[in-house]
Amino acid sequence: MPITCTSGCGKNAALKRPKTGDALCKECFFTAFELEIHHTIITNKLFESGQKVAIAASGGKDSTVLAHILRLLNQRYNYGLELVLLSIDEGITGYRDDSLETVKKNRDDYQMPLKILSYEELYGWTMDRIVAQIGRTNNCTFCGVFRRQALDRGAKLLKVDSIATGHNADDIAETVLMNILRGDTARLRRCTDIKTGSNDDSSNENSIPRVKPLKYAYEKEIVMYAHYKKLIYFSTECVFAPNAYRGHARTFLKDLEKIRPSVIMDIIYSGEQLRFKDTVKKPIRGTCERCGFVSSQQPCKACKLLEGLNRGLPKLGIGKKSKGDRMIAQQDKELKLRERANLVKNDF
């Protein structure tokens, strides 16, 4: 027997919301989902009229729904935003090259300008070449670090006021779990922030705010919205992702969700309420002396990883700084010995 939409519209329900358990028709689900995103944007003052906002576009479900909804809400509620798409090409054959075709389709459908930057043009490396050097153990570290800085570089080129990312509630809950398991208090204290960075950060002109309009949106509901709206998105998983540490946190979270459906919001709320002792060391955001972009260490992680690749020491930026310093010292010592040997050889 058909179930009536619980909103009272009189239509038959087409789905059950994973987040609330409400049985809704498609139209009422669209309205509820869009209103929640609008409420998140307004309540947290994510944007100001007249701002230029870059949407981090990968072609996946999250960024596609984000682009669609920001365009819709911008027109419906007169946000007064200039929206552009910013994509990063990591150089992963059979994955990113295909997903960028979806991004280009989004560009045409939503009539937004698109800027694509590649690891190769920014760093001189592709992820395919990096994985060939480092293997499949720490490859996600390189990709994550380079991607974050690449977005900053792209945002600076486009002269935008903020970057909107497609991080959803599941992503944030997973990140909270990962940081707890790793004991990473620095990231744990800020991973639930809906807005990071600030235009008022006078210490760093390259500090461009990042906002998460989908912070409280469940991944399942994003998929349902994209499905019923018939949005075009790329759904293939990265070929290098199966070994990622995040995958274990995701599996754990899904198992918990079966037992307690509200666990995603519970974890986010817990992360938001965490407080640390004053004795806990806080990283200080500054500017990398090499590249000039935001960093809490010298040199920044991106520059350190890139140095390792260029030196033929791909694991240089992995692990403790002291270990990396020893690797550099050993390599420099070997180079001096070779130079000395060549000089002796030339004397004869």
Side-chain angles (χ1 to χ4, degrees):
M1 182 178 178
I3 300 175
T4 305
C5 177
T6 55
S7 68
C9 69
K11 297 180 181 178
N12 290 334
L15 55 92
K16 181 179 179 180
R17 290 194 68 182
K19 185 176 182 179
T20 63
D22 295 333
L24 300 175
C25 66
K26 288 192 292 185
E27 289 73 18
C28 288
F29 168 65
F30 295 153
T31 300
F33 188 80
E34 291 160 5
L35 277 174
E36 286 181 7
I37 306 302
H38 173 61
H39 177 75
T40 298
I41 291 171
I42 298 303
T43 303
N44 295 281
K45 299 178 181 179
L46 299 187
F47 308 116
E48 294 180 8
S49 180
Q51 286 187 332
K52 185 177 182 180
V53 179
I55 300 171
S58 66
K61 63 185 184 312
D62 300 316
S63 64
T64 297
V65 168
L66 178 62
H68 171 84
I69 284 191
L70 281 185
R71 176 176 176 271
L72 180 73
L73 298 180
N74 190 37
Q75 295 173 345
R76 181 182 295 171
Y77 298 104
N78 193 28
Y79 289 167
L81 303 177
E82 180 186 351
L83 301 174
V84 298
L85 299 174
L86 174 59
S87 290
I88 306 301
D89 180 3
E90 301 93 341
I92 304 174
T93 305
Y95 171 67
R96 185 55 71 207
D97 45 358
D98 292 336
S99 69
L100 285 176
E101 293 303 314
T102 303
V103 174
K104 293 173 184 176
K105 185 71 168 59
N106 291 339
R107 172 199 61 193
D108 298 336
D109 291 343
Y110 306 141
Q111 297 181 331
M112 295 181 190
L114 168 64
K115 176 66 176 178
I116 300 175
L117 290 176
S118 71
Y119 282 6
E120 188 159 28
E121 64 181 293
L122 293 176
Y123 307 114
W125 289 80
T126 65
M127 275 309 299
D128 285 343
R129 288 177 57 209
I130 292 172
V131 172
Q133 290 288 321
I134 193 71
R136 297 201 176 201
T137 302
N138 295 298
N139 53 287
C140 288
T141 297
F142 283 83
C143 195
V145 171
F146 286 163
R147 182 177 174 79
R148 282 190 290 273
Q149 191 189 87
L151 285 172
D152 283 338
R153 288 173 178 267
K156 186 179 180 183
L157 284 173
L158 293 172
K159 298 180 180 179
V160 300
D161 298 291
S162 64
I163 306 169
T165 64
H167 292 94
N168 59 50
D170 297 56
D171 295 329
I172 295 170
E174 289 166 9
T175 304
V176 171
L177 289 175
M178 289 169 62
N179 289 331
I180 289 174
L181 294 173
R182 290 188 299 206
D184 194 337
T185 55
R187 288 190 175 92
L188 183 57
R189 72 170 67 238
R190 67 174 184 266
C191 69
T192 58
D193 292 345
I194 196 167
K195 187 173 185 177
T196 56
S198 172
N199 278 325
D200 298 325
D201 186 357
S202 58
S203 65
N204 193 337
E205 62 179 8
N206 293 317
S207 181
I208 299 174
R210 296 193 186 198
V211 297
K212 306 168 187 171
L214 303 182
K215 176 183 174 181
Y216 299 110
Y218 274 32
E219 183 178 50
K220 289 178 182 177
E221 296 198 354
I222 290 173
V223 173
M224 291 166 67
Y225 186 88
H227 171 72
Y228 286 115
K229 280 287 187 178
K230 294 181 171 56
L231 303 182
I232 298 173
Y233 65 90
F234 187 76
S235 58
T236 302
E237 185 180 47
C238 174
V239 293
F240 301 135
N243 296 319
Y245 185 56
R246 179 176 290 274
H248 301 292
R250 180 177 296 121
T251 300
F252 180 51
L253 183 64
K254 296 306 178 188
D255 289 340
L256 289 175
E257 192 180 6
K258 294 174 186 175
I259 303 169
R260 183 181 176 87
S262 65
V263 70
I264 293 174
M265 294 306 299
D266 293 341
I267 291 174
I268 292 175
Y269 179 74
S270 297
E272 291 173 337
Q273 300 305 311
L274 280 175
R275 296 293 181 270
F276 295 88
K277 293 181 179 180
D278 294 334
T279 54
V280 176
K281 187 177 180 180
K282 301 177 183 178
I284 300 174
R285 286 166 61 89
T287 302
C288 176
E289 296 172 353
R290 293 188 188 179
C291 66
F293 283 89
V294 179
S295 175
S296 58
Q297 64 183 52
Q298 294 294 344
C300 72
K301 190 71 169 178
C303 286
K304 199 66 178 177
L305 291 173
L306 186 60
E307 179 185 3
L309 290 171
N310 292 333
R311 276 178 170 266
L313 299 172
K315 293 186 178 181
L316 179 64
I318 306 296
K320 295 182 178 180
K321 182 178 181 297
S322 57
K323 180 181 177 182
D325 291 341
R326 288 196 299 271
M327 293 172 68
I328 292 176
Q330 180 63 29
Q331 187 184 59
D332 289 343
K333 181 180 179 180
E334 291 175 357
L335 287 173
K336 287 180 181 179
L337 289 173
R338 289 176 190 169
E339 289 175 359
R340 192 175 302 167
N342 286 333
L343 288 174
V344 171
K345 183 178 179 181
N346 292 332
D347 288 341
F348 289 96

